[in-house]
Amino acid sequence: MKCASIFAAILVATSSIAVAQDQKPVLTIHAARQTVTLPVTIRDKHGDLVPNADKADFTLTQDGRPQVIDTLTRSSTEPFRIGLLVETSRGMMGALDSERKAATQFVDAMLPVEPPTSSASGNQIFLLHFDREVELLRDLTASRDKLHTELENMGPTSRHRDDRDGPETYDNPRESPRGGLASAQLYDAIYLASNDVLKHNAGVRNVLVVFSDGADQGSKVSLNEALDAADKANAVIYTVYLKSESERNNPLFGRNDRRSGMGGGFPGGSGYPGGGGYPGGGYPSGGDRRDQKPSVDGRKIMAEIAKRTGGRYFETRKKGDLDDVYGIIVHELQGLYLLTYTPDKLESDDDYHKVVLTPKKNDLIVNLRMGFFAPGGKFN
């Protein structure tokens, strides 16, 4: 009887194993939900920063679909990674001393007196200047002294100084808003600052502050390509516009409504798709395209750059305004909100996703980038 019982138990166990082997395993996949984080500036109708905004005060859409806002907070722990982009063409040299002073005060306001022991624990700033080429003067650093030194010594790039052919000229003065002064590669500067410096930073508070007259000539990338790079680097861009000397002196400035300089890219090229970085003086090969004359409306260009990336456009009418402008930017950065939400739909491509944040009350004004890229289906 014991043998019979043991044999029966073996049969039952063997049958159970056989049944289990015949059954196909059931695999349940739970897609990881990604969180989007976007920096937002919120002001009232008087232009003052709102210190206590609530997520319930806004509605959010992505690609036209309503989204649920998870959080809206003023973050003080996320460090800033900031790029100062300064145009040093001949047309802007008259304002360079004022720019140095204002930028130095900005550096002192955003960086501590003593750099933190860990580079990841505090704000960092890099300095780049551009005219006929783009040159990185100082990579990301938390050192005030290093940035002070570079700002003090900042002038035209080496190619701009050594160009034996002199400044670019045009037969028709209407074709050049600079009245024959040398070109400035504004779009390349934004592209390279975004793609070569900020893109490698995983933070969510990346900022560029661009000082220029907004008239690009000689860039290898278009405005859209430059702004795409800024979006992919999560960069908010504040633009500081000042007329160049030729704009102020040329009575024909502003009468040419030709729009150009927006064309496609180029094959290869250092610092661009398929190329390397720019330490050591940028792109002496230039990229001058005489068949693409610059748009004369630098205001619109600078305003568009700020609007698309969620920054703010400033127009300075005299050099003395720069101190006030940079002070306002410091104030806005210190009052920046971070908005987070979980998209209702995950994409599997690199498409651009449009986002709109709408206040429920008319007395609030928001600055939010127009959209973002989700590389590989993963949101930032």
Side-chain angles (χ1 to χ4, degrees), residues 1 151 229 261 278 317:
M1 291 181 62
L151 284 167
Y278 51 51
R317 299 188 180 277

Side-chain angles (χ1 to χ4, degrees), residues 28-236:
T28 303
I29 300 177
H30 297 282
R33 303 190 72 192
Q34 304 292 335
T35 299
V36 176
T37 302
L38 299 172
V40 186
T41 301
I42 303 173
R43 300 192 303 274
D44 61 23
K45 61 183 179 181
H46 303 293
D48 297 325
L49 292 177
V50 177
N52 55 356
D54 188 88
K55 65 179 184 179
D57 298 331
F58 304 89
T59 60
L60 178 70
T61 62
Q62 176 186 297
D63 302 324
R65 302 188 308 275
Q67 305 294 318
V68 176
I69 300 174
D70 294 332
T71 62
L72 182 65
T73 58
R74 292 179 68 174
S75 171
S76 59
T77 58
E78 284 282 347
F80 282 103
R81 297 293 180 261
I82 302 171
L84 294 175
L85 281 56
V86 181
E87 179 178 339
T88 50
S89 69
R90 291 183 179 91
M92 304 298 285
M93 291 304 292
L96 196 55
D97 284 341
S98 297
E99 169 63 14
R100 287 193 190 98
K101 178 175 176 287
T104 298
Q105 292 175 349
F106 177 86
V107 166
D108 291 347
M110 296 303 299
L111 297 181
V113 176
E114 294 294 332
T117 55
S118 171
S119 61
S121 61
N123 298 340
Q124 291 186 321
I125 297 176
F126 68 95
L127 176 64
L128 177 155
H129 70 145
F130 61 97
D131 38 59
R132 295 189 65 127
E133 64 180 348
V134 181
E135 188 173 20
L136 180 65
L137 294 175
R138 175 61 60 179
D139 206 344
L140 282 166
T141 180
S143 170
R144 287 184 177 185
D145 291 341
K146 292 179 180 179
L147 290 164
H148 288 173
T149 299
E150 295 295 349
L151 284 167
E152 180 65 26
N153 297 328
M154 180 176 63
T157 64
S158 56
R159 181 173 184 243
H160 192 84
R161 292 193 306 267
D162 302 336
D163 188 357
R164 296 181 180 179
D165 295 331
E168 293 180 0
T169 58
Y170 299 92
D171 294 334
N172 182 356
R174 282 168 163 253
E175 294 178 345
S176 174
R178 302 173 182 276
L181 294 174
S183 62
Q185 298 176 8
L186 169 63
Y187 305 158
D188 281 359
I190 294 173
Y191 180 92
L192 294 164
S194 302
N195 191 67
D196 287 16
V197 183
L198 292 182
K199 188 177 180 180
H200 305 294
N201 173 49
V204 293
R205 298 211 294 182
N206 292 342
V207 176
L208 297 178
V209 181
V210 181
F211 173 71
S212 173
D213 67 5
D216 179 277
Q217 174 69 3
S219 284
K220 296 180 179 179
V221 300
S222 68
L223 175 60
N224 282 334
E225 288 169 324
L227 295 183
D228 283 353
D231 283 332
K232 291 176 181 178
N234 297 321
V236 174

Side-chain angles (χ1 to χ4, degrees), residues 42-43 57-59 357-366:
I42 303 173
R43 300 192 303 274
D57 298 331
F58 304 89
T59 60
L357 183 67
T358 305
K360 294 180 181 178
K361 300 178 181 178
N362 294 329
D363 58 350
L364 293 179
I365 302 169
V366 299

